[in-house]
Amino acid sequence: MSEFLIARRQYAPQSPVSLTALEASSVSEPAIGLDATDPAIAALFPQMARHPLLKISQNDAAASGLEPLTKKTSLRVGAVFSGGQAPGGHNVVAGLYEGIRKLHPDSTLTGFAGGPAGILKNKAIPVTPELIATFRNTGGFDLFGTGRTKLETPEDFATCARIFTQHDLDAFVVIGGDDSNTNAAFLAEYLLETGHKTRIVGVPKTIDSDLRGPFTETSFGFDTAVRVYAELIANIAKDSQSGKKYYHFIRLMGRSASHITMEAALQTRPNVALISEEIARDGMTMSGIIDLLADVVIRRGNAGKNFGVVLVPEGLIEFVPEMRALIANLNEVISGHQDYMDSLRGFTAQIEYLAGRLSKESAATLATLPLDIQRQMIMDRDPHGNVALSQVETEKLLTELLTSRLGELKSEGHFHGKFSCQTHFLGYEGRCAAPTNFDANYAWSLGLTAAGLAASGHSGYLAAVHGLTMTPDRWQAWGVPLVSMLTIERRHGKDKAVIRKTLVDLEGPAFQLFMNSREAWAWDEHYQFAGPIQYFGPAGLVDRIPVSLSVQ
Amino acid sequence: MSEFLIARRQYAPQSPVSLTALEASSVSEPAIGLDATDPAIAALFPQMARHPLLKISQNDAAASGLEPLTKKTSLRVGAVFSGGQAPGGHNVVAGLYEGIRKLHPDSTLTGFAGGPAGILKNKAIPVTPELIATFRNTGGFDLFGTGRTKLETPEDFATCARIFTQHDLDAFVVIGGDDSNTNAAFLAEYLLETGHKTRIVGVPKTIDSDLRGPFTETSFGFDTAVRVYAELIANIAKDSQSGKKYYHFIRLMGRSASHITMEAALQTRPNVALISEEIARDGMTMSGIIDLLADVVIRRGNAGKNFGVVLVPEGLIEFVPEMRALIANLNEVISGHQDYMDSLRGFTAQIEYLAGRLSKESAATLATLPLDIQRQMIMDRDPHGNVALSQVETEKLLTELLTSRLGELKSEGHFHGKFSCQTHFLGYEGRCAAPTNFDANYAWSLGLTAAGLAASGHSGYLAAVHGLTMTPDRWQAWGVPLVSMLTIERRHGKDKAVIRKTLVDLEGPAFQLFMNSREAWAWDEHYQFAGPIQYFGPAGLVDRIPVSLSVQ
């Protein structure tokens, strides 16, 4: 174990629901309507449709007439990581474990290995105090592992029920994103309907921070991941400013929403940061984006500055109208012919096959793209046969189109500078960093909250910790009915109940702050250098929260 | 200015030549022969051939009969950054400035903007205490900027002499790598020969750490850059171990030598780290490298592990015999026909042109490479028309060849696992990080040493600080004759005096440590997680030195 890990394991996460206070806390139902208001959702969830919001607080349980969380009997709880890694996951487990053990010393926690598939395969891992001591405050999901298997069929649910019964679980905690928590809601409904005792609790996890609600300001892991990206962007910006010869185009992970890119921009102040949601709102085409970039390069070039930094959200191309249409058309055409496509050896054969089948518009759009991007879109497909958007090097697409545009402008006498560039993709570099104090505290608090919900006997709730701009002792612990987060969305031609991804709010204060600053950032070097995450040292460095959260 | 920078500027770098002690120090000539022993070098440097080694120490100057460094007159010194950025550059300038000001309060320092070209254009930047306070302990070279212009012709030297005379400079400090210090030696000789008073002092700078000698254990910046890479490799390894579905191939910056890759491997313990020098020694072909990688993937797959981390040094392909021959052949064929090649629009036309001109062996090698790699080798040429090796995505070359090999092995029944991969290139992410305590101390000490050399009146010396495994108060300050580092090498068909790049010593203790450990690292997950650079906190975290240095 490295000296860093040895030093970091000594950090005691902070929480509103302190360990000693948890047993004196109770769960109340404030008069805030948060149940499923959509009749279609209510119809899908008859057991849970009227679920009230829950508040876990350290009020005087006896005086309030509420039952305190402490139970005479021990709790048997299970837990699983679902989906992509996010810093803080181990602290959720630590909070959960320490919470249920504080409520009753004989309580047990069982993890399932390798994500939801581990439940079906009954790959159980008993949690011990030693395991928690080793993993507390560390990044990664290696305590249990994780996976992307979706549990959504009645057969899956029946197997879960059988495994939960076999382990005699009072509650089961799903640490996951929007899809995982949607499926957790269906599993909760199933277990209630079939009279199983296991209660389901969800914990909001995703570095993308697209799982938001009135009581969920952000998901854990976002703060840490963005700080790693901001560290690297600041280093690259400093490099750009020192050498004065390259534009750096940096694509940032984040499946659809541009929260990561916007937060990284607020922390580092690059010359340009593209925000997918704004591009979609304005119906900006790829050519329009290149215009915008060319304008910045030309004007900076006129000022003798042939360098700069541009941030690109991973999900960009899905928000550009003609690209979105092309992707949909490709998915449609390839769908059902995937095996045949795969049997065509090589790019040329595949593109010839597609030629007569794509719409005229899509074919025209495809033809404007550089060959390597065409190849990525057509050949790097996901297991469902769809275009694997995360494999498309959007940063290279932009630099290739921009290079060619600037070449034309130069020959026409409109561009007098130089344009050389380097491209980067930052994603896996940040998902497993050791959680910042904020994420360590937040995740631990979520774990304690999940313990409280597990003890309270309610099912189908998302653990939520609110008031995150305040110090952790003032945060509030809630149980949000999962049904209140669900909405009907049309996916793959079918109506589906889903937790809708929360995109960047273009009217919100964070985007407004960005919008009001970016003109200045474009022309001059306002690059901010906040250094790597500091886990030791002055409070101003170690106890920070995301900028986009602080301005809410 | 960010809170990080505000907190970090308060760090007081440590040095053997303390500011107060510097004025009481003297320069002595120990009886160690370090002058130019090669007659060809001696012939090129008649003024400097017999230069002795110098030692700066705080002995009792009066008792030893040596003149103390303190002068009655002030010093006028110039300085320039040359070549790629390295963390600590600003501390060299800080040490130099504070050193000459301590020796005489009226001393001045003038920087030249944008690298060596800034001397020719007389782009002078006067250094002030405020400027030093702002830049001390920060990364980047943005204080002066930098550039790669080589000053090597008599005309360049004459212009330098004129500019130096115009500024009445007593000394000029070149902060640069092997090429820059080679040219500094020629400039020093020219100035001595032509009777100019400006003394030349070099400072060893490169994150590659390939500028070594008996008194130069490493160059400043290496420690910081590798720690950033190690932070990210550890995060990626944790990701790989959590999700258990990807091999991550990570290419690391470092022009020729594999020091960065080896140090990063010692810090993070990946499953495989390729070391170019070993591959060259063993005459390993690309096919042999793929064999080695396939063996690891197959054996890990048999153990149910379809994930891992592989480090790839940037310079790799130049060390693989058939690739080296191909590159040389391409450079030779393209040389002199660059304009014509450029006039051929597109890859197909260019490769057809080359087809009949390459040797049979080179054409065969080229044909084994994936198309995008062929394109990078042929079309991404440097300004001299040569293959731009840093633009070749060697990590993708390896994964494409490996994917295809594993496909064959699978169909033959020899591979039963899965192979999915992600590729990364880490370079610009680390060159401008804020220097670690080690680099901050080392660079500041080099600056103070340069101040001592400037005051001592000697020219053509490299500032050297030795004994780096000890605490900074026990380091020793030296002036190493540049001529002693020069050797004759054949480059582009001509004999040239150069400072030879120091490659990884395959008999040295660092490589031996790596070699003895790697078998274990290949099969099990020994990944080390040291976290990001900590600038505040426990001494064990903030005061580290590179592993490869500590085992010397």
Side-chain angles (χ1 to χ4, degrees):
Chain A
M1 186 172 270
S2 72
E3 282 193 75
F4 171 79
L5 292 177
I6 291 167
R8 185 60 182 159
R9 71 195 288 182
Q10 287 162 23
Y11 178 70
Q14 298 176 280
S15 160
V17 194
S18 75
L19 263 181
T20 42
L22 185 64
E23 51 189 333
S25 296
S26 64
V27 170
S28 61
E29 302 179 7
I32 305 176
L34 256 198
D35 53 3
T37 44
D38 184 334
I41 298 292
L44 281 168
F45 296 90
Q47 304 290 328
M48 311 202 311
R50 300 269 85 77
H51 267 186
L53 179 70
L54 299 176
K55 180 164 191 188
I56 302 176
S57 50
Q58 298 170 219
N59 48 11
D60 184 336
S64 67
L66 294 167
E67 197 182 350
L69 280 175
T70 313
K71 301 280 179 185
K72 286 279 175 290
T73 57
S74 61
L75 285 168
R76 296 181 61 83
V77 179
V80 74
F81 291 126
S82 180
Q85 291 86 301
H90 292 151
N91 275 32
V92 173
V93 176
L96 175 61
Y97 183 65
E98 288 164 357
I100 58 171
R101 299 268 285 193
K102 188 72 196 179
L103 289 170
H104 195 289
D106 292 339
S107 296
T108 61
L109 178 61
T110 303
F112 287 84
I119 308 172
L120 305 184
K121 295 182 199 151
N122 196 13
K123 291 164 91 173
I125 300 173
V127 174
T128 61
E130 295 68 37
L131 213 53
I132 294 297
T134 305
F135 283 90
R136 185 204 307 279
N137 302 329
T138 64
F141 279 1
D142 45 324
L143 168 57
F144 300 148
T146 185
R148 295 192 180 274
T149 303
K150 290 189 204 302
L151 304 185
E152 45 189 0
T153 66
E155 293 72 33
D156 292 338
F157 295 157
T159 309
C160 287
R162 185 168 55 76
I163 302 290
F164 293 168
T165 302
Q166 188 181 325
H167 288 275
D168 191 24
L169 297 183
D170 299 297
F172 190 83
V173 178
V174 176
I175 304 164
D178 53 341
D179 275 356
S180 307
N181 276 295
T182 297
N183 293 335
F186 281 103
L187 178 58
E189 181 72 18
Y190 174 89
L191 293 173
L192 286 170
E193 193 183 295
T194 52
H196 288 88
K197 73 165 181 179
T198 315
R199 280 95 68 180
I200 297 292
V201 179
V203 173
K205 172 245 31 155
T206 157
I207 61 163
D208 297 352
S209 199
D210 55 6
L211 176 55
R212 295 188 185 179
F215 292 83
T216 312
E217 294 152 292
T218 186
S219 41
F220 75 80
F222 173 70
D223 182 57
T224 307
V226 178
R227 284 199 195 282
V228 175
Y229 304 146
E231 171 200 354
L232 304 179
I233 294 164
N235 284 355
I236 291 168
K238 180 70 85 174
D239 206 285
S240 177
Q241 197 177 4
S242 298
K244 294 187 168 57
K245 63 176 182 176
Y246 289 125
Y247 272 88
H248 291 268
F249 278 62
I250 308 170
R251 176 167 51 113
L252 296 171
M253 194 174 255
R255 184 57 192 77
S256 284
S258 301
H259 298 294
I260 288 180
T261 298
M262 195 177 66
E263 175 64 29
L266 290 168
Q267 289 186 27
T268 60
R269 309 185 185 170
N271 301 103
V272 177
L274 300 173
I275 303 296
S276 303
E277 291 83 346
E278 185 185 23
I279 284 163
R281 182 195 66 192
D282 299 346
M284 198 179 249
T285 61
M286 195 51 78
S287 178
I289 295 171
I290 300 300
D291 282 346
L292 180 156
L293 293 170
D295 181 51
V296 172
V297 172
I298 290 170
R299 286 171 65 178
R300 287 181 61 85
N302 289 343
K305 294 174 178 177
N306 295 306
F307 65 93
V309 175
V310 177
L311 303 188
V312 181
E314 183 181 42
L316 180 71
I317 56 174
E318 251 196 326
F319 289 77
V320 178
E322 81 274 21
M323 294 297 286
R324 191 185 186 94
L326 168 62
I327 293 161
N329 198 193
L330 277 173
N331 287 344
E332 194 187 303
V333 169
I334 297 172
S335 156
H337 304 279
Q338 202 186 341
D339 288 343
Y340 182 71
M341 280 282 287
D342 288 343
S343 76
L344 297 170
R345 306 281 290 189
F347 172 64
T348 316
Q350 296 201 4
I351 205 156
E352 271 173 16
Y353 172 79
L354 289 174
R357 288 168 175 86
L358 288 177
S359 72
K360 199 191 269 183
E361 294 75 17
S362 293
T365 303
L366 191 62
T368 63
L369 304 179
L371 275 182
D372 41 355
I373 301 293
Q374 291 188 30
R375 187 157 44 204
Q376 287 164 8
M377 292 189 75
I378 291 169
M379 302 183 73
D380 291 341
R381 296 194 300 276
D382 71 16
H384 310 288
N386 294 324
V387 175
L389 289 172
S390 65
Q391 297 302 310
V392 177
E393 295 175 301
T394 311
E395 71 283 17
K396 291 194 181 165
L397 167 61
L398 293 175
T399 55
E400 291 201 29
L401 294 176
L402 181 57
T403 301
S404 138
R405 173 77 57 87
L406 288 169
E408 292 161 23
L409 289 167
K410 184 155 229 167
S411 68
E412 293 161 8
H414 300 303
F415 174 48
H416 311 287
K418 287 178 197 167
F419 180 72
S420 301
C421 60
Q422 298 288 343
T423 57
H424 310 256
F425 172 50
L426 300 178
Y428 300 97
E429 287 77 0
R431 300 198 313 182
C432 286
T436 58
N437 280 4
F438 174 78
D439 273 332
N441 297 340
Y442 181 34
W444 199 64
S445 300
L446 285 168
L448 287 171
T449 304
L453 289 169
S456 76
H458 293 83
S459 188
Y461 278 85
L462 187 79
V465 171
H466 191 257
L468 300 174
T469 55
M470 295 181 285
T471 50
D473 56 302
R474 299 177 64 198
W475 293 351
Q476 296 161 343
W478 299 90
V480 177
L482 282 169
V483 286
S484 74
M485 304 186 73
L486 291 168
T487 184
I488 300 288
E489 217 171 71
R490 205 152 175 89
R491 288 194 182 172
H492 302 295
K494 283 183 201 153
D495 278 347
K496 251 195 114 177
V498 298
I499 297 178
R500 187 174 287 160
K501 281 186 198 298
T502 322
L503 300 182
V504 167
D505 175 7
L506 300 177
E507 305 301 325
F511 183 77
Q512 297 296 317
L513 173 61
F514 166 71
M515 202 176 65
N516 294 334
S517 314
R518 63 180 168 189
E519 181 80 13
W521 299 351
W523 316 126
D524 289 316
E525 292 71 62
H526 289 268
Y527 308 143
Q528 277 282 298
F529 191 97
I533 299 170
Q534 294 299 293
Y535 298 90
F536 310 94
L541 291 185
V542 299
D543 290 322
R544 298 166 61 194
I545 67 168
V547 178
S548 53
L549 188 61
S550 70
V551 299
Q552 290 299 328
Chain B
M1 186 173 268
S2 72
E3 282 192 73
F4 172 79
L5 292 176
I6 292 167
R8 186 60 183 160
R9 70 196 288 183
Q10 286 163 23
Y11 178 71
Q14 298 177 281
S15 162
V17 193
S18 75
L19 262 180
T20 43
L22 185 63
E23 53 189 329
S25 296
S26 64
V27 171
S28 61
E29 302 178 7
I32 304 177
L34 256 199
D35 54 1
T37 43
D38 182 334
I41 297 293
L44 282 167
F45 295 90
Q47 304 290 328
M48 312 204 308
R50 297 270 87 72
H51 267 184
L53 177 71
L54 300 176
K55 180 164 192 187
I56 303 176
S57 50
Q58 299 171 218
N59 48 11
D60 183 337
S64 67
L66 295 167
E67 197 182 351
L69 280 176
T70 314
K71 301 279 177 184
K72 285 281 174 289
T73 57
S74 62
L75 285 169
R76 298 181 59 83
V77 179
V80 75
F81 290 126
S82 180
Q85 292 86 300
H90 292 151
N91 276 31
V92 172
V93 176
L96 174 61
Y97 183 65
E98 288 163 357
I100 58 172
R101 298 269 284 194
K102 188 72 195 177
L103 290 169
H104 195 290
D106 292 340
S107 294
T108 61
L109 178 61
T110 303
F112 288 84
I119 308 172
L120 305 184
K121 296 181 199 152
N122 197 11
K123 292 165 90 170
I125 300 173
V127 174
T128 63
E130 294 70 36
L131 212 54
I132 294 298
T134 304
F135 283 90
R136 183 204 308 281
N137 301 332
T138 64
F141 279 1
D142 44 323
L143 168 59
F144 302 147
T146 184
R148 295 194 179 273
T149 303
K150 290 188 201 305
L151 304 184
E152 46 189 359
T153 66
E155 294 73 31
D156 292 337
F157 294 158
T159 310
C160 286
R162 185 169 55 74
I163 301 291
F164 293 168
T165 303
Q166 187 181 325
H167 289 276
D168 192 23
L169 297 183
D170 298 299
F172 190 83
V173 177
V174 176
I175 303 163
D178 52 341
D179 274 356
S180 307
N181 276 295
T182 297
N183 292 334
F186 281 102
L187 177 59
E189 180 74 18
Y190 174 89
L191 293 172
L192 287 169
E193 192 183 297
T194 52
H196 288 87
K197 75 165 179 178
T198 314
R199 279 98 63 182
I200 297 293
V201 178
V203 173
K205 174 247 25 153
T206 158
I207 61 163
D208 298 351
S209 199
D210 56 6
L211 176 55
R212 297 187 182 178
F215 292 84
T216 312
E217 293 152 292
T218 186
S219 41
F220 75 82
F222 173 69
D223 182 56
T224 307
V226 177
R227 283 198 196 283
V228 175
Y229 304 146
E231 171 201 353
L232 304 178
I233 294 163
N235 285 353
I236 291 168
K238 179 71 83 173
D239 206 284
S240 178
Q241 197 177 5
S242 298
K244 295 188 168 56
K245 64 176 182 176
Y246 290 125
Y247 273 88
H248 291 268
F249 278 64
I250 308 170
R251 176 168 51 115
L252 296 170
M253 192 174 254
R255 184 57 192 82
S256 285
S258 301
H259 297 295
I260 288 180
T261 297
M262 194 176 67
E263 175 64 30
L266 290 169
Q267 289 186 25
T268 61
R269 308 185 186 170
N271 301 104
V272 177
L274 301 173
I275 303 297
S276 303
E277 290 83 345
E278 185 184 23
I279 284 163
R281 181 196 64 191
D282 299 345
M284 198 179 251
T285 61
M286 193 54 76
S287 178
I289 295 172
I290 300 301
D291 282 345
L292 180 156
L293 293 170
D295 181 51
V296 172
V297 172
I298 290 171
R299 286 172 65 178
R300 287 181 62 84
N302 289 343
K305 295 174 179 177
N306 296 306
F307 64 92
V309 175
V310 177
L311 303 187
V312 181
E314 182 180 44
L316 180 70
I317 54 173
E318 252 195 327
F319 288 77
V320 179
E322 79 273 22
M323 295 296 288
R324 190 184 187 97
L326 167 62
I327 293 161
N329 197 196
L330 277 171
N331 288 343
E332 193 187 301
V333 170
I334 297 171
S335 157
H337 305 277
Q338 202 185 341
D339 289 343
Y340 181 71
M341 280 282 287
D342 287 341
S343 75
L344 298 170
R345 308 278 292 189
F347 172 65
T348 317
Q350 295 201 4
I351 206 158
E352 272 173 16
Y353 172 79
L354 290 174
R357 289 170 172 81
L358 288 177
S359 72
K360 197 191 273 182
E361 293 76 17
S362 293
T365 303
L366 190 62
T368 63
L369 304 179
L371 274 182
D372 41 354
I373 300 292
Q374 290 188 30
R375 188 158 45 208
Q376 287 163 9
M377 293 189 74
I378 291 168
M379 300 183 74
D380 293 341
R381 294 194 300 277
D382 73 14
H384 310 288
N386 294 324
V387 176
L389 288 173
S390 65
Q391 297 302 309
V392 177
E393 295 175 300
T394 311
E395 70 283 17
K396 290 193 182 168
L397 169 60
L398 293 175
T399 55
E400 292 201 29
L401 295 177
L402 181 57
T403 300
S404 138
R405 174 75 58 88
L406 289 169
E408 293 162 20
L409 290 168
K410 184 156 228 165
S411 68
E412 293 163 9
H414 300 305
F415 174 48
H416 311 286
K418 289 178 196 165
F419 181 72
S420 300
C421 61
Q422 298 288 342
T423 57
H424 310 256
F425 172 50
L426 300 177
Y428 299 98
E429 287 78 0
R431 300 198 313 182
C432 286
T436 57
N437 280 5
F438 174 78
D439 272 333
N441 296 340
Y442 181 35
W444 198 64
S445 300
L446 286 168
L448 286 171
T449 304
L453 289 170
S456 75
H458 293 83
S459 188
Y461 277 85
L462 187 79
V465 171
H466 190 258
L468 299 173
T469 55
M470 296 180 285
T471 51
D473 57 301
R474 299 176 67 197
W475 293 351
Q476 297 162 341
W478 299 90
V480 177
L482 283 170
V483 287
S484 74
M485 305 185 71
L486 291 169
T487 183
I488 298 290
E489 218 171 68
R490 205 151 176 90
R491 288 194 183 172
H492 303 294
K494 281 181 202 158
D495 278 345
K496 248 194 113 177
V498 297
I499 297 178
R500 185 175 289 161
K501 281 188 198 298
T502 322
L503 301 182
V504 167
D505 175 7
L506 300 177
E507 305 300 325
F511 183 77
Q512 296 297 318
L513 172 61
F514 165 72
M515 201 175 66
N516 294 334
S517 315
R518 64 180 168 189
E519 181 81 12
W521 299 350
W523 315 125
D524 290 315
E525 292 71 62
H526 289 269
Y527 308 144
Q528 277 281 296
F529 191 97
I533 299 170
Q534 294 299 294
Y535 298 91
F536 310 93
L541 292 185
V542 300
D543 290 322
R544 298 165 62 194
I545 67 168
V547 178
S548 53
L549 189 61
S550 71
V551 298
Q552 290 298 328

